Amino acid sequence: MAESLVLADADVVLARARAGDMVALERLYRAYEAPVYNLARRICRTVEDAEDVLQETFFEICRSIHQYRGEGSLWGWVRSIAASKALMRLRRNKYRDTDELDDEYHGPVLGKHEHGGLRMDLEAALERLPEVSRAVVWLHDVEGYTHEEIAGMMGKTVSFSKSQLARAHTRLRGWLGGEGALA
Amino acid sequence: MTGHLTTAQLLACREPGLEPGVVAARAHLDACTECQAELQRLDQVKARLKALPTLRPARDNWALVQQRVRAERRARWRTRIVAGSMAFAAGVALMLMVRTQLRQDAGQATAIHEAMQRSSQLEQVIQQYNPDTRMVDGQSQLVAGQLEDRIAVVDRELERAQLLAAREREDALLRLWRQRVGLLDALVDVHLTRAQAVGF
Ligand SMILES: [Zn+2]
């Protein structure tokens, strides 16, 4: 999504941003505000948390832009800061740990054949996932991080990341019904 | 393997890896249309997740970010004045050393010393202009911030220059201290202009 996002005069903007130029830093903010907020909002539970993550991410970018040496894409660098801030926020809020709530619930669990007209839409299903599972499925499936990278960011093992992804998909499968198959 | 693949096994088929379990799962997948359909369904959920609309913040958060950045810069600047005085003291000590080692370069050593003294004087002038209270206009603050950042760069280079061999070190020190004086001069101008404009 944001991969294609380009600043017309990226080199100039970057050079000025590194020198601390607020106008250039604001250009960076405008360019990446939406994808950073989107990532934060998909991972965090509330709008307020997502806005805090957005602010923390750009505050960090403003103070450490001189450390970005152009290895890898700028969006990749921005995103890794955003992801780590969002995950930090999850830990700080001590959201429910998925290990405990594996089978306890979040809303009425619909049996395999009970969907009928109650088929949930994807946004709602995603929202309903436990926080850690949702973070893993988003980082892996949408942002394209590997299990190794996610494990590193979360301070967990690779198999933890894999099992969270599988749990998330199992749940989504139950909530979305078979519609994914030939949709 | 008996029965169909679990979600975890299906997902593992999409990951790189040659563990025996994954190899066996791939073999089952090749032969089983039901599991193929299930994996396709998983792929489609992933595709639909990627296609979800980008959520946007309801309000502009830049002003708050900018406020924090500026507050931090002012704090950094105050620390830098202290560090600057220390750098000055260290510079004086180094000067004495340079002088005894390289008497033939007394002219250059004197020039460095003069630049350092001028730098210190300018810093004292700047200290009188407290950026917290005096720098209210955005443009002056922007220019001052840029100058402060460039001075910080020179300070870092000054630290590195101490490690150079004697001859090179002196050239670098003279150049850098003069550069520092030039930047400080400009910074004093910014503060002065601003102070006059608001009637201080
Ligand atoms: Zn099968």
Side-chain angles (χ1 to χ4, degrees):
Chain A
M1 157 192 44
E3 240 77 56
S4 58
L5 207 159
V6 279
L7 276 161
D9 43 357
D11 288 349
V12 180
V13 174
L14 261 177
R16 289 190 181 157
R18 284 197 189 104
D21 181 330
M22 275 298 185
V23 177
L25 289 167
E26 183 174 357
R27 295 261 327 261
L28 287 184
Y29 175 85
R30 300 287 165 216
Y32 294 109
E33 170 191 34
V36 165
Y37 177 80
N38 187 53
L39 184 150
R41 184 65 191 95
R42 297 297 184 185
I43 290 178
C44 299
R45 186 204 283 265
T46 67
V47 167
E48 290 72 26
D49 280 347
E51 284 195 356
D52 280 351
V53 168
L54 174 67
Q55 289 171 25
E56 280 163 19
T57 299
F58 280 97
F59 178 59
E60 183 67 44
I61 288 168
C62 289
R63 52 196 313 213
S64 58
I65 183 76
H66 61 275
Q67 286 167 13
Y68 170 68
R69 293 277 168 243
E71 303 103 358
S73 73
L74 180 57
W75 165 237
W77 182 72
V78 169
R79 176 164 60 184
S80 68
I81 295 173
S84 94
K85 298 285 176 195
L87 293 174
M88 217 183 285
R89 172 63 49 144
L90 279 196
R91 277 196 295 274
R92 207 165 79 193
N93 288 3
K94 291 211 172 72
Y95 281 159
R96 297 170 297 176
D97 197 314
T98 45
D99 287 339
E100 297 164 14
L101 46 56
D102 207 2
D103 292 311
E104 77 190 61
Y105 170 16
H106 335 270
V109 176
L110 300 174
K112 221 175 178 175
H113 306 287
E114 294 167 359
H115 295 284
L118 290 175
R119 180 192 279 171
M120 206 185 284
D121 91 330
L122 186 60
E123 291 265 9
L126 186 65
E127 189 86 9
R128 203 167 149 197
L129 284 174
E131 285 75 18
V132 176
S133 285
R134 188 173 63 226
V136 171
V137 79
W138 191 264
L139 292 174
H140 185 275
D141 286 4
V142 181
E143 304 293 345
Y145 283 109
T146 64
H147 286 298
E148 286 72 17
E149 290 167 329
I150 294 168
M153 286 191 281
M154 290 189 142
K156 302 275 188 182
T157 61
V158 168
S159 62
F160 174 87
S161 176
K162 286 181 178 173
S163 76
Q164 287 301 322
L165 185 70
R167 283 177 198 190
H169 275 290
T170 304
R171 284 205 163 95
L172 290 174
R173 169 89 172 103
W175 294 334
L176 298 169
E179 75 173 313
L182 297 163
Chain B
M1 186 179 308
T2 56
H4 294 299
L5 301 176
T6 62
T7 305
Q9 288 170 321
L10 287 166
L11 290 170
C13 291
R14 282 281 181 258
E15 298 287 330
L18 294 166
E19 299 87 347
V22 179
V23 172
R26 287 200 187 105
H28 174 96
L29 185 66
D30 284 342
C32 177
T33 53
E34 270 183 72
C35 284
Q36 284 164 16
E38 191 59 22
L39 184 58
Q40 201 189 355
R41 199 201 56 80
L42 280 169
D43 288 342
Q44 280 167 357
V45 169
K46 183 171 168 174
R48 288 177 57 206
L49 282 169
K50 280 186 177 173
L52 283 176
T54 299
L55 301 174
R56 289 164 195 279
R59 62 186 182 124
D60 191 356
N61 287 263
W62 173 244
L64 290 164
V65 174
Q66 200 177 21
Q67 230 171 25
R68 275 183 73 183
V69 172
R70 290 197 164 135
E72 202 218 24
R73 277 189 189 171
R74 284 195 294 272
R76 227 188 330 147
W77 174 240
R78 281 190 292 269
T79 340
R80 196 174 300 151
I81 288 176
V82 176
S85 325
M86 281 160 63
F88 177 68
V92 172
L94 180 76
M95 263 350 289
L96 297 171
M97 213 170 75
V98 169
R99 280 194 169 186
T100 45
Q101 281 172 357
L102 298 153
R103 289 193 186 282
Q104 67 273 35
D105 290 320
Q108 192 173 24
T110 309
I112 296 173
H113 196 194
E114 277 165 8
M116 283 164 58
Q117 273 180 325
R118 178 82 187 124
S119 169
S120 170
Q121 285 162 0
L122 289 168
E123 267 179 333
Q124 281 164 22
V125 172
I126 288 163
Q127 245 174 322
Q128 294 162 18
Y129 296 96
N130 180 349
D132 275 335
T133 53
R134 306 286 166 95
M135 298 295 283
V136 286
D137 124 87
Q139 190 55 31
S140 311
Q141 203 160 41
L142 171 66
V143 175
Q146 287 169 344
L147 288 168
E148 288 166 8
D149 287 337
R150 287 172 61 192
I151 292 167
V153 171
V154 172
D155 286 349
R156 277 199 291 272
E157 284 178 41
L158 273 169
E159 278 169 35
R160 277 198 291 269
Q162 315 275 10
L163 306 171
L164 296 171
R167 179 69 240 181
E168 255 183 294
R169 183 177 58 204
E170 262 198 297
D171 290 344
L173 287 176
L174 183 58
R175 180 177 54 79
L176 289 167
W177 279 105
R178 282 185 171 159
Q179 212 177 326
R180 197 172 198 278
V181 166
L183 290 166
L184 283 166
D185 254 332
L187 190 56
V188 167
D189 278 347
V190 174
H191 285 280
L192 210 58
T193 312
R194 180 64 208 155
Q196 281 162 353
V198 296
F200 283 103

